[in-house]
Amino acid sequence: LYFHEGTYYLYYLAKAGSQWDNISMASSSDGVHWKEIGRVLSKGRGVTWMGTGSTWKSPNYKKDGKFFMNFSERRGPRQTIFFAESKDLVHWTRLGDEYEFRQDERWYETNGRWDCIWTLRRPGGGLYGFWTATPKGETGGCFGFGETNDGVHWHALAPPKVEGVRKGEVGAIVKMGDKFYMMFG
């Protein structure tokens, strides 16, 4: 869900066949009554299924007017993250395979989970991201962490160490006061 200039944009994983094969959307001015827009992205060739992601403003939004969406695709044994861009939050253009964000095998399992980036502004510019991932056991982490300067070229960093939490999915993160809160399921 993304809110911009009085409109809610709801993006969701959908399937027209037997596997999750597209991202569809609906919009609303009040968050209660929705207008179905339909498919905005489809899985690529040779892809088994798609996974979800989230949407954010470009770190350079004042100059480029772009929004970005991440989504994952399962290609062979590996799930990796891809990106799309839009200037109106309705019409999306998939970015090429050169933007694929793969597991950094120093810290993350090669064929582990890898999807659903949630972003936060990084002090000094760019973004931090947290996502659903499978960190290697010795890292002590349970989700992915990284950074980007432009919103689409990502660099994985070592997963944060977390106590009292095991594997799961990152939903969203917000900073309130001096603390960060994460939806983690």
Side-chain angles (χ1 to χ4, degrees):
L1 183 67
Y2 192 83
F3 183 74
H4 180 68
E5 295 181 351
T7 301
Y8 294 92
Y9 298 88
L10 176 65
Y11 303 98
Y12 56 90
L13 189 57
K15 61 181 177 177
S18 62
Q19 296 287 335
W20 303 111
D21 64 3
N22 74 90
I23 304 292
S24 289
M25 72 165 291
S27 64
S28 172
S29 60
D30 62 9
V32 176
H33 303 92
W34 293 88
K35 176 184 175 191
E36 179 67 30
I37 306 298
R39 184 184 300 234
V40 295
L41 279 176
S42 296
K43 73 177 186 169
R45 287 194 181 123
V47 171
T48 306
W49 47 260
M50 291 182 83
T52 62
S54 61
T55 303
W56 59 85
K57 271 187 181 178
S58 165
N60 303 308
Y61 181 78
K62 289 182 180 178
K63 291 182 182 178
D64 64 24
K66 292 181 181 180
F67 299 90
F68 298 118
M69 175 191 299
N70 76 97
F71 57 94
S72 65
E73 290 186 331
R74 180 74 161 198
R75 296 181 179 189
R78 183 179 279 217
Q79 177 185 31
T80 59
I81 296 173
F82 295 88
F83 301 92
E85 67 180 20
S86 175
K87 289 204 170 192
D88 64 4
L89 292 163
V90 176
H91 302 92
W92 289 88
T93 302
R94 171 193 285 267
L95 299 179
D97 286 351
E98 66 271 22
Y99 293 92
E100 180 180 12
F101 179 39
R102 298 179 89 168
Q103 293 88 338
D104 184 322
E105 296 176 17
R106 291 177 292 173
W107 301 302
Y108 301 94
E109 295 293 339
T110 302
N111 295 329
R113 291 288 305 275
W114 199 252
D115 62 339
C116 306
I117 298 174
W118 185 267
T119 63
L120 293 174
R121 295 275 172 209
R122 188 177 63 191
L127 302 166
Y128 282 125
F130 298 84
W131 59 89
T132 302
T134 308
K136 291 184 175 180
E138 62 271 17
T139 68
C142 58
F143 51 84
F145 176 62
E147 63 185 353
T148 179
N149 290 325
D150 64 5
V152 292
H153 293 95
W154 283 85
H155 303 283
L157 301 172
K161 293 185 189 289
V162 180
E163 294 179 21
V165 178
R166 295 186 183 221
K167 293 179 184 177
E169 295 190 8
V170 173
I173 300 172
V174 64
K175 184 176 183 184
M176 294 190 300
D178 293 335
K179 292 184 179 182
F180 292 90
Y181 297 88
M182 175 187 285
M183 287 177 49
F184 189 77

